[in-house]
Amino acid sequence: MDNKSQSQELTQKYMMNFINRIPVTFVKGEGLQLWDENGKTYLDFVGGWAADSLGHCHPVQVEALTNQAKTLIHVSNAFYTEPQSKLAELLVKNSCLDKVFFCNSGAEANEGAIKLARRWGALKLKGAYEIITTLDSFHGRTLAMTAATGQAKFQKPYIPLPEGFTNVKYNDIEAIKQATSSKTCAVMLEPVQGEGGVNLPSSEYLKQVRAWCDEKGLLLIFDEVQTGMGRLGKLFGYEVYGVEPDVITLAKGIASGFPIGVIMAKERASVFSPGEHGTTFGGNPLACAVGYAVTQYIIDKKVPQNSDLMGRYITSQLRILQGKYPFIKDVRGCGLLIAVEFNCDIAEAVMYACLKEGLVINYLKANLLRIIPPLIITRAEIDKGIGILEQVLAGINI
Ligand SMILES: *Cc1c(COP(=O)(O)O)cnc(C)c1O
């Protein structure tokens, strides 16, 4: 970590300065373990921002990737391919949704869902086009998704933003009701807000939003880019809250770090006509073969159940730490999407101290850590990671 390596020098010289990077160069991964270029090992509680659902280089993923790479990598969506059809069937048969569109990322899936909602508005709601989203949400980095994302820090540098989005308070059904007008065609929400601070819905909120959308004929879109594929302890986040959305988007987690995005919709909401949406790379055989293998494994091996059990275990261990260290203000989460909130701005210092001790952990805000490990995490790995965190917290001077 001390000497700037060649890759770090090259990156800083040749790449745009879009993120303050952590000075570690990873060269290898296996399961929850990562190796840096000096041979130091780390336990990974971040999993590439909640994407690496089966950890690093899982044999099932590597096998699907290498087999498909030797067979067929890409053809256009003008033709049929086997991996695409198989993954579509698998996702539909294991969800409440009926139809699938494949793309390459979370932001792109959300963009497509917004276009779908605008078609819905055009066809069913006299041209309504506005989408209600929530404050502290995160929907991706494209220009339209920046408008959808209710956080000033992402929006400010890019004003003027595309119109047609209203950001209202989360967990507040009245705010959605007040923002609804004859122009509204959809509501888009994360079942649990991830990037915005691991904010959980009240027990009634999502049901109330569902009822309101039904009353007004609005599409209910769940952005499950982070919460989907087992992260919350069920295959999809909507199952945790007993609310069926009309549309969901997925990305992180489906192919355990290989890029893929998905829009899924109920039959009645699948309103694209030929030519109204498209993609060159989306749904390519390579991404879909990996997505299929990973998704099949997640279902067959009951990975969401492990996420639920291990999430409860981490949370209980963190609550014990909270009892010992009063500067831990709150521990909250669902499945393996967990936040540790401090009552002071020590999260970055804690993150760096953990890194030094060989634990990769995500600091989301000055006072907030997020724990989003691969979903295959074991009790032993949790004990090791929490042990490192406790050692670090014990040494914090505040
Ligand atoms: C990460 C994330 C996105 C954006 O996904 P990308 O693949 O980075 O475009 C969108 N929505 C949510 C809820 C996310 O967590």
Side-chain angles (χ1 to χ4, degrees):
M1 258 170 65
D2 303 315
N3 301 323
K4 215 190 271 180
S5 72
Q6 195 185 15
S7 30
Q8 290 171 29
E9 265 174 28
L10 292 176
T11 301
Q12 286 174 9
K13 185 164 177 197
Y14 292 113
M15 285 199 63
M16 291 192 193
N17 186 20
F18 69 101
I19 187 167
N20 291 317
R21 290 191 201 249
I22 297 161
V24 176
T25 304
F26 287 123
V27 295
K28 187 181 146 166
E30 188 184 324
L32 263 76
Q33 186 151 311
L34 284 165
W35 283 259
D36 74 12
E37 60 190 336
N38 303 313
K40 179 177 165 181
T41 59
Y42 301 78
L43 183 63
D44 186 4
F45 271 23
V46 179
W49 288 335
D52 308 330
S53 46
L54 302 188
H56 300 285
C57 302
H58 193 286
V60 158
Q61 180 195 36
V62 172
E63 197 194 328
L65 188 53
T66 46
N67 284 345
Q68 190 61 44
K70 288 181 215 155
T71 310
L72 182 66
I73 293 176
H74 180 256
V75 289
S76 82
N77 275 307
F79 301 95
Y80 295 89
T81 67
E82 203 178 296
Q84 192 175 106
S85 65
K86 283 172 64 180
L87 180 56
E89 181 189 31
L90 185 65
L91 289 169
V92 168
K93 287 203 163 158
N94 287 281
S95 72
C96 70
L97 293 312
D98 306 307
K99 297 281 176 168
V100 175
F101 176 88
F102 291 117
C103 53
N104 307 286
S105 69
E108 197 188 342
N110 287 338
E111 287 271 345
I114 294 307
K115 287 174 75 179
L116 189 69
R118 286 200 177 187
R119 290 306 300 142
W120 175 265
L123 296 167
K124 315 265 180 176
L125 296 169
K126 301 195 178 99
Y129 61 89
E130 227 169 63
I131 319 283
I132 298 173
T133 65
T134 57
L135 294 169
D136 296 320
S137 60
F138 184 79
H139 299 296
R141 300 296 205 131
T142 60
L143 204 52
M145 286 314 104
T146 299
T149 294
Q151 297 194 55
K153 69 174 178 192
F154 294 121
Q155 295 185 340
K156 246 187 168 164
Y158 298 107
I159 288 166
L161 293 166
E163 65 170 320
F165 295 93
T166 311
N167 312 141
V168 306
K169 204 170 155 218
Y170 181 68
N171 248 339
D172 183 346
I173 185 63
E174 288 310 316
I176 289 179
K177 288 184 177 176
Q178 274 165 28
T180 303
S181 73
S182 59
K183 288 190 197 151
T184 310
C185 67
V187 176
M188 181 163 77
L189 295 169
E190 297 155 86
V192 172
Q193 291 186 329
E195 205 278 342
V198 187
N199 305 315
L200 303 166
S202 70
S203 59
E204 285 313 303
Y205 179 59
L206 298 175
K207 290 194 177 98
Q208 290 167 331
V209 179
R210 175 72 271 177
W212 181 248
C213 288
D214 288 341
E215 190 179 327
K216 295 290 168 186
L218 312 177
L219 280 192
L220 177 56
I221 305 169
F222 278 180
D223 176 347
E224 295 235 27
V225 168
Q226 187 159 164
T227 57
M229 307 318 289
R231 175 64 50 188
L232 298 190
K234 299 271 188 194
L235 188 57
F236 300 106
Y238 71 78
E239 297 174 70
V240 176
Y241 296 97
V243 171
E244 289 195 2
D246 304 301
V247 178
I248 66 170
T249 53
L250 304 166
K252 298 180 171 116
I254 302 181
S256 194
F258 195 85
I260 182 167
V262 184
I263 309 169
M264 297 188 72
K266 294 264 197 196
E267 183 78 54
R268 69 182 189 102
S270 302
V271 291
F272 284 141
S273 295
E276 285 181 352
H277 195 41
T279 167
T280 299
F281 291 126
N284 67 79
L286 190 57
C288 287
V290 179
Y292 179 78
V294 170
T295 302
Q296 188 75 70
Y297 185 93
I298 287 174
I299 294 166
D300 286 351
K301 302 291 175 184
K302 299 193 165 52
V303 171
Q305 200 174 322
N306 190 63
S307 173
D308 179 44
L309 288 171
M310 293 303 112
R312 287 172 200 272
Y313 183 57
I314 296 186
T315 305
S316 71
Q317 296 307 100
L318 289 171
R319 294 238 157 89
I320 294 172
L321 294 188
Q322 190 182 11
K324 288 190 198 170
Y325 304 99
F327 55 84
I328 299 180
K329 185 175 157 195
D330 190 27
V331 173
R332 61 176 177 271
C334 182
L336 286 169
L337 173 53
I338 299 166
V340 182
E341 188 175 349
F342 302 110
N343 58 20
C344 44
D345 293 346
I346 56 171
E348 186 175 10
V350 171
M351 183 275 285
Y352 272 104
C354 285
L355 199 64
K356 203 164 161 237
E357 300 304 322
L359 175 68
V360 181
I361 198 162
N362 176 236
Y363 96 96
L364 206 52
K365 296 183 182 188
N367 68 337
L368 196 119
L369 294 173
R370 181 174 51 163
I371 297 178
I372 38 173
L375 309 179
I376 55 161
I377 192 168
T378 62
R379 218 167 266 264
E381 285 162 338
I382 292 171
D383 289 340
K384 187 175 170 197
I386 297 292
I388 293 173
L389 181 62
E390 159 140 47
Q391 186 190 331
V392 164
L393 294 178
I396 285 278
N397 288 316
I398 46 167

